[in-house]
Structures are given as structure tokens and as C-alpha cells.
Amino acid sequence: MSTPFTPAEVRHAVELLASRSLIRLVTEIDDNGAIPPRRLAGTLPDLSTHQLRSASDTARAHGLVRIAPGSGLELTEAGAELADVYDAMARWARRHAVPAPVCEFSRRIRHVLDLLAPSLSTERTDALSPLTGDGAEAGLARPRTLLIQWLADNPQVARVPEPEPVA
């Protein structure tokens, strides 16, 4: 499966999707349902006010969450699909004990995104980083396919913002 993404677009998408605060927001809503905006800090106490604001602004700007009247921040279809992609990545990472046998969910996602990034702007599946030499990277085919499909359905995530003109 080929992708229409440039290396700069892949870098932008990976940085955005690997954000710990975005991962936490999307997976928390996926696991537990909508979060009233005033309850964000209590629901995700490990994130600062700035991180929460940035994650919710980023998620809304990219169509991952919306504010539902009466219930708060909820996932859009794109957000729910991203949560599924994150789950597939985390399952693969847990199965292969990477980046460590015990680590935070968002760290596993970041690690898998970093492994997949080189293969996202090329048609070569052999661009996947070798992990253990035992063929473990072959298992990345499913998370890679899910991510490519998700990015194809949500190209706004990979779009590199234009630099602001200097006055």
C-alpha cells in the first residue's frame, strides 16, 4: 500500500499523533466516554493545564473530538478510529516488550510511530526498522496498514502548516 505523504508530512503527523497529552485525551474518552471540559483536569491529573488545553485544541482542530452539548468532549468518528489505531500499536508493542517490558501506554505508541515513520513515505515495507532479528517487525504490518488508512482518511493531520510571514 503506497502513501501520498512526503517525509515532512510524515514527521508532522508522527509528532502530532505521538503527543502524550493527545494520546491520553483520545484514549481516556475512548475508554470512559465524553469528558465535560471543566472535568478535564480531574480526569487527567497527570497533565498540566497547558497540556490539556493544547491537546483539546489540537484534537478539535484536527477533527478528533467535538464538544457535545450536555456531555462535553467526545470522540468524532476519526477520533474513535485513531483510538483503534493506538490500541493496535500498543498491543504489538506489549507483545514485543518494546520499548521496555513495562512502560506507559503513550510511550509504547510513540515507539511504534517512530518505528513506522520511515515506511510511511515509501512503498517499501522493508523500510521498517529491524527490532530483534526474529521477524517481529513483520507484525507491524497491521498497525502500519491501519495508520496509513487512517492518515489517508484524515489528511489534515499530515498537512504541514505554512510558515507565518515575517512582518
Side-chain angles (χ1 to χ4, degrees):
M1 175 180 282
S2 66
T3 75
F5 299 109
T6 66
E9 290 171 328
V10 168
R11 275 191 307 278
H12 182 265
V14 166
E15 280 305 309
L16 188 140
L17 296 176
S19 160
R20 180 177 177 273
S21 55
L22 182 68
I23 293 168
R24 294 276 292 119
L25 179 67
V26 168
T27 57
E28 181 66 30
I29 296 171
D30 183 54
D31 290 346
N32 298 303
I35 303 172
R38 293 184 185 260
R39 294 248 171 107
L40 273 176
T43 303
L44 300 166
D46 56 319
L47 300 178
S48 70
T49 302
H50 172 74
Q51 290 172 316
L52 290 169
R53 186 174 299 117
S54 177
S56 63
D57 289 350
T58 298
R60 280 198 311 268
H62 290 89
L64 305 175
V65 299
R66 65 177 160 251
I67 297 178
S71 62
L73 285 176
E74 68 179 12
L75 293 178
T76 61
E77 184 177 333
E81 290 169 356
L82 178 59
D84 292 342
V85 173
Y86 283 161
D87 285 341
M89 290 177 183
R91 275 192 304 277
W92 181 88
R94 269 192 309 273
R95 190 173 317 120
H96 297 285
V98 294
V102 177
C103 69
E104 186 179 58
F105 183 85
S106 59
R107 222 174 123 212
R108 290 191 192 282
I109 301 303
R110 172 97 197 174
H111 186 79
V112 172
L113 284 166
D114 288 343
L115 289 173
L116 291 175
S119 73
L120 297 177
S121 60
T122 177
E123 290 187 32
R124 294 181 12 228
T125 57
D126 65 338
L128 294 174
S129 301
L131 298 174
T132 61
D134 64 2
E137 64 275 3
L140 276 172
R142 182 171 187 277
R144 179 180 183 271
T145 299
L146 290 172
L147 179 60
I148 289 171
Q149 183 60 56
W150 189 87
L151 287 170
D153 292 345
N154 298 279
Q156 74 279 5
V157 170
R159 202 167 296 125
V160 178
E162 294 291 322
E164 301 213 3
V166 178

